[in-house]
mmCIF file with all atom_site columns, all heavy atoms in Angstrom:
data_model
loop_
_atom_site.group_PDB
_atom_site.id
_atom_site.type_symbol
_atom_site.label_atom_id
_atom_site.label_alt_id
_atom_site.label_comp_id
_atom_site.label_asym_id
_atom_site.label_entity_id
_atom_site.label_seq_id
_atom_site.pdbx_PDB_ins_code
_atom_site.Cartn_x
_atom_site.Cartn_y
_atom_site.Cartn_z
_atom_site.occupancy
_atom_site.B_iso_or_equiv
_atom_site.pdbx_formal_charge
_atom_site.auth_seq_id
_atom_site.auth_comp_id
_atom_site.auth_asym_id
_atom_site.auth_atom_id
_atom_site.pdbx_PDB_model_num
ATOM 1   N N   . ALA X 1 1  ? 23.721 -49.781 -37.920 1.00 95.00 ? 1  ALA X N   1
ATOM 2   C CA  . ALA X 1 1  ? 23.049 -48.669 -37.235 1.00 95.00 ? 1  ALA X CA  1
ATOM 3   C C   . ALA X 1 1  ? 21.741 -48.329 -37.944 1.00 95.00 ? 1  ALA X C   1
ATOM 4   O O   . ALA X 1 1  ? 20.701 -48.164 -37.301 1.00 95.00 ? 1  ALA X O   1
ATOM 5   C CB  . ALA X 1 1  ? 23.951 -47.444 -37.167 1.00 95.00 ? 1  ALA X CB  1
ATOM 6   N N   . GLY X 1 2  ? 21.794 -48.234 -39.267 1.00 94.00 ? 2  GLY X N   1
ATOM 7   C CA  . GLY X 1 2  ? 20.580 -47.963 -40.034 1.00 94.00 ? 2  GLY X CA  1
ATOM 8   C C   . GLY X 1 2  ? 19.546 -49.058 -39.871 1.00 94.00 ? 2  GLY X C   1
ATOM 9   O O   . GLY X 1 2  ? 18.354 -48.792 -39.699 1.00 94.00 ? 2  GLY X O   1
ATOM 10  N N   . GLY X 1 3  ? 20.000 -50.299 -39.899 1.00 95.00 ? 3  GLY X N   1
ATOM 11  C CA  . GLY X 1 3  ? 19.087 -51.422 -39.719 1.00 95.00 ? 3  GLY X CA  1
ATOM 12  C C   . GLY X 1 3  ? 18.447 -51.446 -38.341 1.00 95.00 ? 3  GLY X C   1
ATOM 13  O O   . GLY X 1 3  ? 17.250 -51.741 -38.204 1.00 95.00 ? 3  GLY X O   1
ATOM 14  N N   . LEU X 1 4  ? 19.207 -51.132 -37.315 1.00 95.00 ? 4  LEU X N   1
ATOM 15  C CA  . LEU X 1 4  ? 18.660 -51.114 -35.954 1.00 95.00 ? 4  LEU X CA  1
ATOM 16  C C   . LEU X 1 4  ? 17.612 -50.017 -35.788 1.00 95.00 ? 4  LEU X C   1
ATOM 17  O O   . LEU X 1 4  ? 16.610 -50.217 -35.109 1.00 95.00 ? 4  LEU X O   1
ATOM 18  C CB  . LEU X 1 4  ? 19.784 -50.951 -34.923 1.00 95.00 ? 4  LEU X CB  1
ATOM 19  C CG  . LEU X 1 4  ? 20.682 -52.171 -34.736 1.00 95.00 ? 4  LEU X CG  1
ATOM 20  C CD1 . LEU X 1 4  ? 21.898 -51.815 -33.889 1.00 95.00 ? 4  LEU X CD1 1
ATOM 21  C CD2 . LEU X 1 4  ? 19.907 -53.330 -34.124 1.00 95.00 ? 4  LEU X CD2 1
ATOM 22  N N   . ILE X 1 5  ? 17.853 -48.870 -36.411 1.00 93.00 ? 5  ILE X N   1
ATOM 23  C CA  . ILE X 1 5  ? 16.871 -47.785 -36.343 1.00 93.00 ? 5  ILE X CA  1
ATOM 24  C C   . ILE X 1 5  ? 15.566 -48.238 -36.989 1.00 93.00 ? 5  ILE X C   1
ATOM 25  O O   . ILE X 1 5  ? 14.482 -48.020 -36.462 1.00 93.00 ? 5  ILE X O   1
ATOM 26  C CB  . ILE X 1 5  ? 17.408 -46.515 -37.042 1.00 93.00 ? 5  ILE X CB  1
ATOM 27  C CG1 . ILE X 1 5  ? 18.643 -45.972 -36.345 1.00 93.00 ? 5  ILE X CG1 1
ATOM 28  C CG2 . ILE X 1 5  ? 16.328 -45.441 -37.160 1.00 93.00 ? 5  ILE X CG2 1
ATOM 29  C CD1 . ILE X 1 5  ? 18.446 -45.482 -34.949 1.00 93.00 ? 5  ILE X CD1 1
ATOM 30  N N   . CYS X 1 6  ? 15.675 -48.883 -38.145 1.00 92.00 ? 6  CYS X N   1
ATOM 31  C CA  . CYS X 1 6  ? 14.477 -49.309 -38.878 1.00 92.00 ? 6  CYS X CA  1
ATOM 32  C C   . CYS X 1 6  ? 13.738 -50.440 -38.184 1.00 92.00 ? 6  CYS X C   1
ATOM 33  O O   . CYS X 1 6  ? 12.515 -50.493 -38.219 1.00 92.00 ? 6  CYS X O   1
ATOM 34  C CB  . CYS X 1 6  ? 14.847 -49.731 -40.301 1.00 92.00 ? 6  CYS X CB  1
ATOM 35  S SG  . CYS X 1 6  ? 15.373 -48.347 -41.333 1.00 92.00 ? 6  CYS X SG  1
ATOM 36  N N   . THR X 1 7  ? 14.461 -51.352 -37.538 1.00 92.00 ? 7  THR X N   1
ATOM 37  C CA  . THR X 1 7  ? 13.808 -52.512 -36.942 1.00 92.00 ? 7  THR X CA  1
ATOM 38  C C   . THR X 1 7  ? 13.408 -52.320 -35.488 1.00 92.00 ? 7  THR X C   1
ATOM 39  O O   . THR X 1 7  ? 12.359 -52.809 -35.067 1.00 92.00 ? 7  THR X O   1
ATOM 40  C CB  . THR X 1 7  ? 14.695 -53.763 -37.037 1.00 92.00 ? 7  THR X CB  1
ATOM 41  O OG1 . THR X 1 7  ? 15.958 -53.495 -36.416 1.00 92.00 ? 7  THR X OG1 1
ATOM 42  C CG2 . THR X 1 7  ? 14.913 -54.165 -38.480 1.00 92.00 ? 7  THR X CG2 1
ATOM 43  N N   . LEU X 1 8  ? 14.231 -51.620 -34.719 1.00 91.00 ? 8  LEU X N   1
ATOM 44  C CA  . LEU X 1 8  ? 13.941 -51.482 -33.296 1.00 91.00 ? 8  LEU X CA  1
ATOM 45  C C   . LEU X 1 8  ? 13.375 -50.117 -32.924 1.00 91.00 ? 8  LEU X C   1
ATOM 46  O O   . LEU X 1 8  ? 13.092 -49.867 -31.762 1.00 91.00 ? 8  LEU X O   1
ATOM 47  C CB  . LEU X 1 8  ? 15.204 -51.775 -32.468 1.00 91.00 ? 8  LEU X CB  1
ATOM 48  C CG  . LEU X 1 8  ? 15.754 -53.197 -32.594 1.00 91.00 ? 8  LEU X CG  1
ATOM 49  C CD1 . LEU X 1 8  ? 17.014 -53.351 -31.755 1.00 91.00 ? 8  LEU X CD1 1
ATOM 50  C CD2 . LEU X 1 8  ? 14.710 -54.220 -32.179 1.00 91.00 ? 8  LEU X CD2 1
ATOM 51  N N   . GLY X 1 9  ? 13.279 -49.225 -33.879 1.00 83.00 ? 9  GLY X N   1
ATOM 52  C CA  . GLY X 1 9  ? 12.615 -47.961 -33.633 1.00 83.00 ? 9  GLY X CA  1
ATOM 53  C C   . GLY X 1 9  ? 13.432 -46.878 -32.980 1.00 83.00 ? 9  GLY X C   1
ATOM 54  O O   . GLY X 1 9  ? 12.892 -45.966 -32.364 1.00 83.00 ? 9  GLY X O   1
ATOM 55  N N   . GLY X 1 10 ? 14.726 -46.940 -33.075 1.00 78.00 ? 10 GLY X N   1
ATOM 56  C CA  . GLY X 1 10 ? 15.524 -45.809 -32.627 1.00 78.00 ? 10 GLY X CA  1
ATOM 57  C C   . GLY X 1 10 ? 16.239 -45.960 -31.310 1.00 78.00 ? 10 GLY X C   1
ATOM 58  O O   . GLY X 1 10 ? 16.287 -45.009 -30.533 1.00 78.00 ? 10 GLY X O   1
ATOM 59  N N   . PRO X 1 11 ? 16.853 -47.116 -31.017 1.00 83.00 ? 11 PRO X N   1
ATOM 60  C CA  . PRO X 1 11 ? 17.695 -47.156 -29.816 1.00 83.00 ? 11 PRO X CA  1
ATOM 61  C C   . PRO X 1 11 ? 18.947 -46.337 -30.047 1.00 83.00 ? 11 PRO X C   1
ATOM 62  O O   . PRO X 1 11 ? 19.399 -46.186 -31.176 1.00 83.00 ? 11 PRO X O   1
ATOM 63  C CB  . PRO X 1 11 ? 18.042 -48.650 -29.690 1.00 83.00 ? 11 PRO X CB  1
ATOM 64  C CG  . PRO X 1 11 ? 17.975 -49.158 -31.084 1.00 83.00 ? 11 PRO X CG  1
ATOM 65  C CD  . PRO X 1 11 ? 16.878 -48.362 -31.757 1.00 83.00 ? 11 PRO X CD  1
ATOM 66  N N   . GLN X 1 12 ? 19.514 -45.789 -28.963 1.00 90.00 ? 12 GLN X N   1
ATOM 67  C CA  . GLN X 1 12 ? 20.745 -45.028 -29.113 1.00 90.00 ? 12 GLN X CA  1
ATOM 68  C C   . GLN X 1 12 ? 21.922 -45.979 -29.320 1.00 90.00 ? 12 GLN X C   1
ATOM 69  O O   . GLN X 1 12 ? 22.790 -45.715 -30.127 1.00 90.00 ? 12 GLN X O   1
ATOM 70  C CB  . GLN X 1 12 ? 21.023 -44.153 -27.887 1.00 90.00 ? 12 GLN X CB  1
ATOM 71  C CG  . GLN X 1 12 ? 20.084 -42.994 -27.709 1.00 90.00 ? 12 GLN X CG  1
ATOM 72  C CD  . GLN X 1 12 ? 18.916 -43.369 -26.810 1.00 90.00 ? 12 GLN X CD  1
ATOM 73  O OE1 . GLN X 1 12 ? 19.119 -43.939 -25.748 1.00 90.00 ? 12 GLN X OE1 1
ATOM 74  N NE2 . GLN X 1 12 ? 17.720 -43.053 -27.225 1.00 90.00 ? 12 GLN X NE2 1
ATOM 75  N N   . ALA X 1 13 ? 21.989 -47.060 -28.552 1.00 93.00 ? 13 ALA X N   1
ATOM 76  C CA  . ALA X 1 13 ? 23.090 -48.036 -28.608 1.00 93.00 ? 13 ALA X CA  1
ATOM 77  C C   . ALA X 1 13 ? 24.443 -47.341 -28.483 1.00 93.00 ? 13 ALA X C   1
ATOM 78  O O   . ALA X 1 13 ? 25.440 -47.826 -28.999 1.00 93.00 ? 13 ALA X O   1
ATOM 79  C CB  . ALA X 1 13 ? 23.006 -48.885 -29.884 1.00 93.00 ? 13 ALA X CB  1
ATOM 80  N N   . ASN X 1 14 ? 24.468 -46.191 -27.800 1.00 95.00 ? 14 ASN X N   1
ATOM 81  C CA  . ASN X 1 14 ? 25.674 -45.378 -27.717 1.00 95.00 ? 14 ASN X CA  1
ATOM 82  C C   . ASN X 1 14 ? 25.562 -44.447 -26.511 1.00 95.00 ? 14 ASN X C   1
ATOM 83  O O   . ASN X 1 14 ? 24.717 -43.556 -26.499 1.00 95.00 ? 14 ASN X O   1
ATOM 84  C CB  . ASN X 1 14 ? 25.818 -44.562 -29.012 1.00 95.00 ? 14 ASN X CB  1
ATOM 85  C CG  . ASN X 1 14 ? 27.076 -43.749 -29.079 1.00 95.00 ? 14 ASN X CG  1
ATOM 86  O OD1 . ASN X 1 14 ? 27.661 -43.376 -28.072 1.00 95.00 ? 14 ASN X OD1 1
ATOM 87  N ND2 . ASN X 1 14 ? 27.493 -43.446 -30.292 1.00 95.00 ? 14 ASN X ND2 1
ATOM 88  N N   . PRO X 1 15 ? 26.410 -44.640 -25.481 1.00 96.00 ? 15 PRO X N   1
ATOM 89  C CA  . PRO X 1 15 ? 26.338 -43.761 -24.311 1.00 96.00 ? 15 PRO X CA  1
ATOM 90  C C   . PRO X 1 15 ? 26.533 -42.278 -24.627 1.00 96.00 ? 15 PRO X C   1
ATOM 91  O O   . PRO X 1 15 ? 25.984 -41.428 -23.931 1.00 96.00 ? 15 PRO X O   1
ATOM 92  C CB  . PRO X 1 15 ? 27.463 -44.279 -23.413 1.00 96.00 ? 15 PRO X CB  1
ATOM 93  C CG  . PRO X 1 15 ? 27.609 -45.709 -23.796 1.00 96.00 ? 15 PRO X CG  1
ATOM 94  C CD  . PRO X 1 15 ? 27.355 -45.742 -25.283 1.00 96.00 ? 15 PRO X CD  1
ATOM 95  N N   . ALA X 1 16 ? 27.293 -41.954 -25.666 1.00 93.00 ? 16 ALA X N   1
ATOM 96  C CA  . ALA X 1 16 ? 27.484 -40.537 -26.020 1.00 93.00 ? 16 ALA X CA  1
ATOM 97  C C   . ALA X 1 16 ? 26.165 -39.917 -26.465 1.00 93.00 ? 16 ALA X C   1
ATOM 98  O O   . ALA X 1 16 ? 25.840 -38.785 -26.087 1.00 93.00 ? 16 ALA X O   1
ATOM 99  C CB  . ALA X 1 16 ? 28.536 -40.397 -27.116 1.00 93.00 ? 16 ALA X CB  1
ATOM 100 N N   . LEU X 1 17 ? 25.390 -40.653 -27.264 1.00 93.00 ? 17 LEU X N   1
ATOM 101 C CA  . LEU X 1 17 ? 24.080 -40.145 -27.683 1.00 93.00 ? 17 LEU X CA  1
ATOM 102 C C   . LEU X 1 17 ? 23.104 -40.105 -26.515 1.00 93.00 ? 17 LEU X C   1
ATOM 103 O O   . LEU X 1 17 ? 22.308 -39.167 -26.399 1.00 93.00 ? 17 LEU X O   1
ATOM 104 C CB  . LEU X 1 17 ? 23.512 -41.001 -28.815 1.00 93.00 ? 17 LEU X CB  1
ATOM 105 C CG  . LEU X 1 17 ? 24.276 -40.972 -30.128 1.00 93.00 ? 17 LEU X CG  1
ATOM 106 C CD1 . LEU X 1 17 ? 23.598 -41.843 -31.166 1.00 93.00 ? 17 LEU X CD1 1
ATOM 107 C CD2 . LEU X 1 17 ? 24.444 -39.556 -30.638 1.00 93.00 ? 17 LEU X CD2 1
ATOM 108 N N   . THR X 1 18 ? 23.163 -41.100 -25.660 1.00 94.00 ? 18 THR X N   1
ATOM 109 C CA  . THR X 1 18 ? 22.291 -41.104 -24.478 1.00 94.00 ? 18 THR X CA  1
ATOM 110 C C   . THR X 1 18 ? 22.607 -39.914 -23.580 1.00 94.00 ? 18 THR X C   1
ATOM 111 O O   . THR X 1 18 ? 21.696 -39.248 -23.084 1.00 94.00 ? 18 THR X O   1
ATOM 112 C CB  . THR X 1 18 ? 22.446 -42.428 -23.701 1.00 94.00 ? 18 THR X CB  1
ATOM 113 O OG1 . THR X 1 18 ? 22.125 -43.512 -24.575 1.00 94.00 ? 18 THR X OG1 1
ATOM 114 C CG2 . THR X 1 18 ? 21.537 -42.478 -22.489 1.00 94.00 ? 18 THR X CG2 1
ATOM 115 N N   . LEU X 1 19 ? 23.892 -39.619 -23.394 1.00 94.00 ? 19 LEU X N   1
ATOM 116 C CA  . LEU X 1 19 ? 24.283 -38.468 -22.589 1.00 94.00 ? 19 LEU X CA  1
ATOM 117 C C   . LEU X 1 19 ? 23.806 -37.168 -23.229 1.00 94.00 ? 19 LEU X C   1
ATOM 118 O O   . LEU X 1 19 ? 23.338 -36.261 -22.534 1.00 94.00 ? 19 LEU X O   1
ATOM 119 C CB  . LEU X 1 19 ? 25.798 -38.448 -22.398 1.00 94.00 ? 19 LEU X CB  1
ATOM 120 C CG  . LEU X 1 19 ? 26.355 -37.325 -21.539 1.00 94.00 ? 19 LEU X CG  1
ATOM 121 C CD1 . LEU X 1 19 ? 25.793 -37.392 -20.126 1.00 94.00 ? 19 LEU X CD1 1
ATOM 122 C CD2 . LEU X 1 19 ? 27.878 -37.390 -21.498 1.00 94.00 ? 19 LEU X CD2 1
ATOM 123 N N   . ALA X 1 20 ? 23.896 -37.075 -24.548 1.00 91.00 ? 20 ALA X N   1
ATOM 124 C CA  . ALA X 1 20 ? 23.411 -35.872 -25.244 1.00 91.00 ? 20 ALA X CA  1
ATOM 125 C C   . ALA X 1 20 ? 21.904 -35.702 -25.034 1.00 91.00 ? 20 ALA X C   1
ATOM 126 O O   . ALA X 1 20 ? 21.428 -34.589 -24.785 1.00 91.00 ? 20 ALA X O   1
ATOM 127 C CB  . ALA X 1 20 ? 23.727 -35.955 -26.734 1.00 91.00 ? 20 ALA X CB  1
ATOM 128 N N   . LEU X 1 21 ? 21.157 -36.790 -25.107 1.00 90.00 ? 21 LEU X N   1
ATOM 129 C CA  . LEU X 1 21 ? 19.714 -36.724 -24.867 1.00 90.00 ? 21 LEU X CA  1
ATOM 130 C C   . LEU X 1 21 ? 19.410 -36.376 -23.414 1.00 90.00 ? 21 LEU X C   1
ATOM 131 O O   . LEU X 1 21 ? 18.453 -35.656 -23.133 1.00 90.00 ? 21 LEU X O   1
ATOM 132 C CB  . LEU X 1 21 ? 19.053 -38.051 -25.239 1.00 90.00 ? 21 LEU X CB  1
ATOM 133 C CG  . LEU X 1 21 ? 19.008 -38.374 -26.723 1.00 90.00 ? 21 LEU X CG  1
ATOM 134 C CD1 . LEU X 1 21 ? 18.535 -39.814 -26.944 1.00 90.00 ? 21 LEU X CD1 1
ATOM 135 C CD2 . LEU X 1 21 ? 18.097 -37.413 -27.463 1.00 90.00 ? 21 LEU X CD2 1
ATOM 136 N N   . LEU X 1 22 ? 20.215 -36.872 -22.502 1.00 92.00 ? 22 LEU X N   1
ATOM 137 C CA  . LEU X 1 22 ? 20.048 -36.565 -21.083 1.00 92.00 ? 22 LEU X CA  1
ATOM 138 C C   . LEU X 1 22 ? 20.322 -35.090 -20.813 1.00 92.00 ? 22 LEU X C   1
ATOM 139 O O   . LEU X 1 22 ? 19.560 -34.424 -20.102 1.00 92.00 ? 22 LEU X O   1
ATOM 140 C CB  . LEU X 1 22 ? 20.990 -37.453 -20.270 1.00 92.00 ? 22 LEU X CB  1
ATOM 141 C CG  . LEU X 1 22 ? 20.846 -37.474 -18.770 1.00 92.00 ? 22 LEU X CG  1
ATOM 142 C CD1 . LEU X 1 22 ? 19.453 -37.917 -18.363 1.00 92.00 ? 22 LEU X CD1 1
ATOM 143 C CD2 . LEU X 1 22 ? 21.887 -38.400 -18.166 1.00 92.00 ? 22 LEU X CD2 1
ATOM 144 N N   . CYS X 1 23 ? 21.377 -34.566 -21.414 1.00 92.00 ? 23 CYS X N   1
ATOM 145 C CA  . CYS X 1 23 ? 21.735 -33.148 -21.212 1.00 92.00 ? 23 CYS X CA  1
ATOM 146 C C   . CYS X 1 23 ? 20.695 -32.193 -21.800 1.00 92.00 ? 23 CYS X C   1
ATOM 147 O O   . CYS X 1 23 ? 20.543 -31.071 -21.320 1.00 92.00 ? 23 CYS X O   1
ATOM 148 C CB  . CYS X 1 23 ? 23.100 -32.853 -21.816 1.00 92.00 ? 23 CYS X CB  1
ATOM 149 S SG  . CYS X 1 23 ? 24.463 -33.582 -20.899 1.00 92.00 ? 23 CYS X SG  1
ATOM 150 N N   . THR X 1 24 ? 20.008 -32.619 -22.824 1.00 91.00 ? 24 THR X N   1
ATOM 151 C CA  . THR X 1 24 ? 18.974 -31.782 -23.438 1.00 91.00 ? 24 THR X CA  1
ATOM 152 C C   . THR X 1 24 ? 17.582 -32.103 -22.898 1.00 91.00 ? 24 THR X C   1
ATOM 153 O O   . THR X 1 24 ? 16.584 -31.656 -23.458 1.00 91.00 ? 24 THR X O   1
ATOM 154 C CB  . THR X 1 24 ? 18.984 -31.941 -24.973 1.00 91.00 ? 24 THR X CB  1
ATOM 155 O OG1 . THR X 1 24 ? 18.806 -33.316 -25.303 1.00 91.00 ? 24 THR X OG1 1
ATOM 156 C CG2 . THR X 1 24 ? 20.274 -31.412 -25.567 1.00 91.00 ? 24 THR X CG2 1
ATOM 157 N N   . ARG X 1 25 ? 17.540 -32.889 -21.837 1.00 91.00 ? 25 ARG X N   1
ATOM 158 C CA  . ARG X 1 25 ? 16.304 -33.236 -21.122 1.00 91.00 ? 25 ARG X CA  1
ATOM 159 C C   . ARG X 1 25 ? 15.287 -33.982 -21.987 1.00 91.00 ? 25 ARG X C   1
ATOM 160 O O   . ARG X 1 25 ? 14.087 -33.859 -21.812 1.00 91.00 ? 25 ARG X O   1
ATOM 161 C CB  . ARG X 1 25 ? 15.679 -32.000 -20.494 1.00 91.00 ? 25 ARG X CB  1
ATOM 162 C CG  . ARG X 1 25 ? 16.577 -31.377 -19.460 1.00 91.00 ? 25 ARG X CG  1
ATOM 163 C CD  . ARG X 1 25 ? 15.916 -30.237 -18.790 1.00 91.00 ? 25 ARG X CD  1
ATOM 164 N NE  . ARG X 1 25 ? 16.851 -29.676 -17.816 1.00 91.00 ? 25 ARG X NE  1
ATOM 165 C CZ  . ARG X 1 25 ? 16.582 -28.632 -17.100 1.00 91.00 ? 25 ARG X CZ  1
ATOM 166 N NH1 . ARG X 1 25 ? 15.439 -28.012 -17.219 1.00 91.00 ? 25 ARG X NH1 1
ATOM 167 N NH2 . ARG X 1 25 ? 17.458 -28.184 -16.243 1.00 91.00 ? 25 ARG X NH2 1
ATOM 168 N N   . LYS X 1 26 ? 15.790 -34.763 -22.919 1.00 88.00 ? 26 LYS X N   1
ATOM 169 C CA  . LYS X 1 26 ? 14.917 -35.595 -23.732 1.00 88.00 ? 26 LYS X CA  1
ATOM 170 C C   . LYS X 1 26 ? 14.775 -36.986 -23.116 1.00 88.00 ? 26 LYS X C   1
ATOM 171 O O   . LYS X 1 26 ? 13.964 -37.782 -23.559 1.00 88.00 ? 26 LYS X O   1
ATOM 172 C CB  . LYS X 1 26 ? 15.431 -35.677 -25.158 1.00 88.00 ? 26 LYS X CB  1
ATOM 173 C CG  . LYS X 1 26 ? 15.534 -34.323 -25.822 1.00 88.00 ? 26 LYS X CG  1
ATOM 174 C CD  . LYS X 1 26 ? 15.330 -34.403 -27.296 1.00 88.00 ? 26 LYS X CD  1
ATOM 175 C CE  . LYS X 1 26 ? 15.501 -33.056 -27.960 1.00 88.00 ? 26 LYS X CE  1
ATOM 176 N NZ  . LYS X 1 26 ? 14.430 -32.134 -27.740 1.00 88.00 ? 26 LYS X NZ  1
ATOM 177 N N   . LEU X 1 27 ? 15.581 -37.270 -22.091 1.00 89.00 ? 27 LEU X N   1
ATOM 178 C CA  . LEU X 1 27 ? 15.510 -38.513 -21.322 1.00 89.00 ? 27 LEU X CA  1
ATOM 179 C C   . LEU X 1 27 ? 15.539 -38.169 -19.839 1.00 89.00 ? 27 LEU X C   1
ATOM 180 O O   . LEU X 1 27 ? 16.195 -37.210 -19.440 1.00 89.00 ? 27 LEU X O   1
ATOM 181 C CB  . LEU X 1 27 ? 16.729 -39.399 -21.601 1.00 89.00 ? 27 LEU X CB  1
ATOM 182 C CG  . LEU X 1 27 ? 16.805 -40.229 -22.851 1.00 89.00 ? 27 LEU X CG  1
ATOM 183 C CD1 . LEU X 1 27 ? 18.112 -41.015 -22.865 1.00 89.00 ? 27 LEU X CD1 1
ATOM 184 C CD2 . LEU X 1 27 ? 15.645 -41.173 -22.970 1.00 89.00 ? 27 LEU X CD2 1
ATOM 185 N N   . SER X 1 28 ? 14.876 -38.979 -19.034 1.00 91.00 ? 28 SER X N   1
ATOM 186 C CA  . SER X 1 28 ? 14.966 -38.805 -17.583 1.00 91.00 ? 28 SER X CA  1
ATOM 187 C C   . SER X 1 28 ? 16.320 -39.329 -17.110 1.00 91.00 ? 28 SER X C   1
ATOM 188 O O   . SER X 1 28 ? 16.969 -40.131 -17.800 1.00 91.00 ? 28 SER X O   1
ATOM 189 C CB  . SER X 1 28 ? 13.846 -39.576 -16.888 1.00 91.00 ? 28 SER X CB  1
ATOM 190 O OG  . SER X 1 28 ? 14.061 -40.976 -16.996 1.00 91.00 ? 28 SER X OG  1
#
């Protein structure tokens, strides 16, 4: 997870995090 953040720039790679971002209107 740490390596992916550093290399790919912050993918969620996790539907729970994507849903949290969606609920807080940080994603369309």
Side-chain angles (χ1 to χ4, degrees):
L4 288 170
I5 297 296
C6 291
T7 56
L8 297 179
Q12 290 93 48
N14 184 335
L17 295 181
T18 302
L19 182 61
L21 290 171
L22 189 59
C23 289
T24 57
R25 297 184 181 177
K26 301 210 183 287
L27 281 180
S28 70

